[in-house]
Amino acid sequence: MNGRRVPPWAVGAAGTAAVLALWWIGAATFLRGIGAPPGGGPGAIPTPWQVLSQMGADGAGFYWRNAAVTLAEAGAGYAWGNALALILAFVVLLLPGLERLATQLAVITYCLPVVAVGPVIFIVLGPPRSGESSGTAVALAALSVFFTTMVSALAGLKAADRACLDIVTVFGGRRIHQLVKVRLIAALPAVLAALKIAAPAALLGAILGEYVGGVDRGLGPAMVNAQQTLEVARVWGVAFACALLAGAAYAVLGLVSRIAAPWASGVRAGSL
C-alpha cells in the first residue's frame, strides 16, 4: 500500500487535540471533585473552557505584564548559558587536554538540583533592585541550558569528516583553521538542535528562579499568588501560557534550524 506520509504538524495537532479531549472529559467527570475543599468549591482540575474563560477575564495585559519579565530573564540566561557552553566546547577542541575537566563541569551543572541551588544563588547574588530582572532567575536559566548545548556542540565538532580535516592539515592549517573551516559547519546541525531544546529549558529555569528570586512580577509569582488565593483556573491559565511560550520558542528555533541547516532535516532550501 503506497500511502502518503502524515506530516509532523498533523501528528502534533492530533496529539494535542486528544490530550485536550481527555482533560475535558476527566475534569467534567471522575476528576471533578479532586482537590475540592470540604465545604464545597471548585476542584483542582478545571475544564479547558474554565481555564480559557479565566484567561479571557484576566486579559492580555495581565499575561503580557508578567510574561515580559520572565522572557527577559529567560532570554538573558539563554544567551549567557549557551555562549559559555559554545566557548567551552571550542576551547576543548583547541586544547584537547581540557576535555575531561570540561565534561565534568557540564555534568555537575546538569546534576545540580535547581530547586535546592536556587536559594544559594539568591544569597550570593542578592535581591534585584527595583525594576531589574532577578539574577537568580537568569542564573538558573543559564544552568538549565549549559549541559545540553555544551555536550551537543562538542559531539558535533568532533564528528567532522576526517578526510576534510586532513586536507586542511596538508595545506598547512592548524587546529584553529580546522575549527573554522570544517568543524563549525559539521557541528551546525547539532548546535542548532541543542539551541532548540535549550529554549524551553531556559524558560523553565527562569520560572523556577522567580520562586526564590525576590521579584514581584513574572509568570512564577503570578502562579504562586493565584495558588495562595485558591484561584485554580488562573493557576492553570498561567501554566498554559508558560506552555504556549515554551512551544513558540521551540517552534521558532526549529524554523531557524531548518533554514540555517536544511541538509540536516532533509529539507531543500528552495522549498522553505
Side-chain angles (χ1 to χ4, degrees):
M1 183 176 180
N2 188 17
R4 295 184 61 184
R5 183 180 179 183
V6 179
W9 65 265
V11 177
T16 302
V19 170
L20 289 176
L22 292 175
W23 172 15
W24 201 315
I25 294 172
T29 55
F30 60 92
L31 297 177
R32 186 174 183 178
I34 293 181
I45 305 179
T47 63
W49 176 250
Q50 290 173 327
V51 175
L52 292 177
S53 299
Q54 182 63 54
M55 294 178 71
D58 292 333
F62 169 79
Y63 288 96
W64 174 247
R65 183 170 61 253
N66 291 289
V69 177
T70 303
L71 288 175
E73 296 163 345
Y78 181 86
W80 278 106
N82 287 320
L84 292 175
L86 292 175
I87 291 173
L88 185 57
F90 296 155
V91 170
V92 167
L93 258 295
L94 298 177
L95 302 173
L98 298 178
E99 180 175 357
R100 185 173 181 178
L101 177 61
T103 304
Q104 291 177 345
L105 177 61
V107 171
I108 290 174
T109 62
Y110 181 75
C111 294
L112 285 175
V114 176
V115 177
V117 78
V120 177
I121 296 177
F122 178 74
I123 293 174
V124 174
L125 299 180
R129 297 179 181 178
S130 179
E132 292 185 353
S133 299
S134 169
T136 304
V138 174
L140 289 184
L143 282 177
S144 300
V145 306
F146 182 83
F147 173 81
T148 303
T149 302
M150 189 269 175
V151 172
S152 298
L154 187 57
L157 291 169
K158 294 173 67 176
D161 185 70
R162 187 72 250 176
C164 296
L165 296 175
D166 291 340
I167 291 175
V168 174
T169 303
V170 168
F171 281 93
R174 300 181 180 180
R175 289 185 182 273
I176 185 64
H177 300 101
Q178 292 179 341
L179 176 63
V180 174
K181 297 182 180 296
V182 178
R183 293 190 185 274
L184 283 180
I185 298 175
L188 187 59
V191 171
L192 291 174
L195 295 179
K196 181 171 60 174
I197 298 173
L203 183 65
L204 175 61
I207 293 172
L208 293 176
E210 289 177 341
Y211 281 93
V212 294
V215 291
D216 297 327
R217 289 190 302 165
L219 294 175
M223 190 177 298
V224 172
N225 293 335
Q227 180 182 5
Q228 292 176 345
T229 56
L230 300 180
E231 296 172 317
V232 178
R234 179 173 292 172
V235 174
W236 281 76
V238 175
F240 186 65
C242 295
L244 287 178
L245 289 174
Y250 184 87
V252 169
L253 268 298
L255 180 60
V256 172
S257 299
R258 291 168 66 90
I259 296 174
W263 66 88
S265 56
V267 179
R268 294 182 180 178
S271 64
L272 294 176

